Amino acid sequence: MAPDSRGLNPKASEETLISLLQLDPTPIDNASVYDKELPPLPEEASQSSDRSINPPSTASTSTLGLSGSGYGPIYYLSRIQRYSSYTFTFFAGLHIANTSIFPLVYQSVPYSEPFLLMARELYQTPLTEPLLVALPIAAHVASGVAVRLIRRRQNLKRYGGATPGTWAAHASSKNSVRIWPSLSYISLFGYAFFGLLASHVGMNRILPLVVDGDSSNIGLQFVSHGFARNPLPPWVAYTLLLSVGVGHMAWGWAKWLNIAPPANWKKTTIDKQLRKRRRRAWWGVQAVAAALATLWAAGGLGIVARAGPAEGWLATVYDNIYTAVGH
């Protein structure tokens, strides 16, 4: 009997195994894909089939729908991250109106200050400030970090992290497996925006409470007074806050609405029509972000920043606060 040329080739099998071990896990860039869990490993599938053959004697159902629904933690974390951005967008809309649109319309900080005071009754009370500002921001950032940690754990489990020998082979190879999911520009801008926003809150909310014991006197005149004392640090801080914050929010909403093209679309898109549509979408999102940043800067940096220092007892209060941070 002639040997079968289609028989198994041990060398080819080894090469196939090595090529599989060198697969680089591709990051998930589409938000809707986060809703789906990765397929189970063979041992997990066998355990699941065993449980289906021999079901437990007592079954429990979660009233929250977190068990028995077929969804994993990423499904719920992605929704927390998404819906928390809705609440913060409402606050951001009020804030851009009070700090940019009204000053731009009235061309005066004193005339625009009452609108900011009225808006504070909506988002700066002991009840609404945590619900509309603090909790949504914390939930948005924490859920995003949690998704990255879960994806990393899944990559470790599926690409050799649980097997020391396999992981050593990956570590010694030139093309090592990327265990951490790639950091997109939206996420990178989000983490930077979180740091800038934290410094903004510390300067305008926490520091006045520490120095003066009250933050009710903090408004547009406090910002203009800081620009008048030393314009360079506020210009740098607010320019970064506006550009990074608007960029993150504009591209984040484009991602939620499935308008934004996927990451690395210029390298991965071959079809000309699809490439044209994605290029148009990319420029559209960029134009919206630039328009929002320009609008915010026109009122905030064009009017408020140039209003000059405060006068009287209010100037003394502001001077004490800024002096506490060496400004």
Side-chain angles (χ1 to χ4, degrees):
M1 181 177 178
D4 190 358
S5 60
R6 296 174 298 175
L8 294 177
N9 189 340
K11 183 178 180 180
S13 300
E14 292 176 0
E15 293 177 352
T16 303
L17 176 61
I18 294 174
S19 63
L20 288 175
L21 293 177
Q22 292 178 348
L23 283 176
D24 193 7
T26 302
I28 297 177
D29 299 307
N30 191 351
S32 61
V33 184
Y34 279 120
D35 299 344
K36 301 179 181 179
E37 294 292 322
L38 295 176
L41 294 172
E43 58 268 20
E44 294 176 346
S46 62
Q47 292 175 3
S48 177
S49 61
D50 294 339
R51 287 195 297 267
S52 62
I53 296 175
N54 300 317
S57 57
T58 59
S60 59
T61 303
S62 172
T63 57
L64 295 176
L66 297 178
S67 64
S69 61
Y71 297 119
I74 290 181
Y75 175 86
Y76 298 100
L77 288 171
S78 62
R79 273 152 179 76
I80 292 174
Q81 189 179 36
R82 178 168 185 162
Y83 297 139
S84 62
S85 65
Y86 294 178
T87 308
F88 185 78
T89 301
F90 171 73
F91 162 75
L94 290 176
H95 205 58
I96 189 176
N98 296 317
T99 60
S100 175
I101 296 178
F102 289 127
L104 195 60
V105 170
Y106 289 98
Q107 296 289 307
S108 172
V109 167
Y111 277 100
S112 305
E113 200 82 63
F115 295 99
L116 179 63
L117 298 178
M118 287 188 294
R120 283 179 175 175
E121 298 299 322
L122 294 177
Y123 64 80
Q124 210 172 85
T125 66
L127 178 62
T128 57
E129 189 171 23
L131 293 178
L132 294 179
V133 183
L135 287 179
I137 293 175
H140 189 76
V141 176
S143 58
V145 173
V147 168
R148 288 184 58 81
L149 292 176
I150 292 175
R151 285 299 185 195
R152 179 183 183 276
R153 186 186 63 183
Q154 292 177 343
N155 289 340
L156 279 172
K157 195 171 185 179
R158 284 165 171 78
Y159 293 92
T163 307
T166 307
W167 181 248
H170 283 307
S172 61
S173 63
K174 295 182 179 179
N175 299 323
S176 59
V177 172
R178 186 175 62 238
I179 295 301
W180 281 101
S182 63
L183 191 64
S184 64
Y185 285 111
I186 299 178
S187 300
L188 184 62
F189 271 55
Y191 292 127
F193 181 43
F194 177 72
L196 293 169
L197 188 62
S199 64
H200 179 70
V201 173
M203 189 68 193
N204 291 272
R205 290 286 290 146
I206 299 176
L207 186 63
L209 291 174
V210 174
V211 176
D212 192 47
D214 185 19
S215 63
S216 60
N217 296 319
I218 305 302
L220 299 178
Q221 285 187 327
F222 176 73
V223 177
S224 61
H225 191 80
F227 276 93
R229 284 175 60 92
N230 187 358
L232 183 58
W235 268 101
V236 173
Y238 280 98
T239 301
L240 288 174
L241 181 65
L242 292 182
S243 58
V244 173
V246 171
H248 174 71
M249 288 186 286
W251 277 97
W253 269 102
K255 187 176 181 179
W256 294 144
L257 298 175
N258 290 326
I259 298 175
N264 297 324
W265 64 273
K266 294 181 180 180
K267 298 179 180 179
T268 59
T269 307
I270 301 176
D271 183 73
K272 292 183 178 180
Q273 294 297 326
L274 180 59
R275 188 180 182 87
K276 186 178 181 180
R277 288 196 301 269
R278 288 179 173 177
R279 183 185 294 109
R280 190 183 299 116
W282 188 89
W283 280 110
V285 178
Q286 291 286 70
V288 170
L292 288 175
T294 302
L295 175 63
W296 208 330
L301 299 179
I303 304 298
V304 177
R306 301 168 62 185
E311 298 179 352
W313 66 271
L314 200 57
T316 304
V317 173
Y318 293 163
D319 286 334
N320 293 334
I321 296 174
Y322 281 114
T323 303
V325 292
H327 178 68

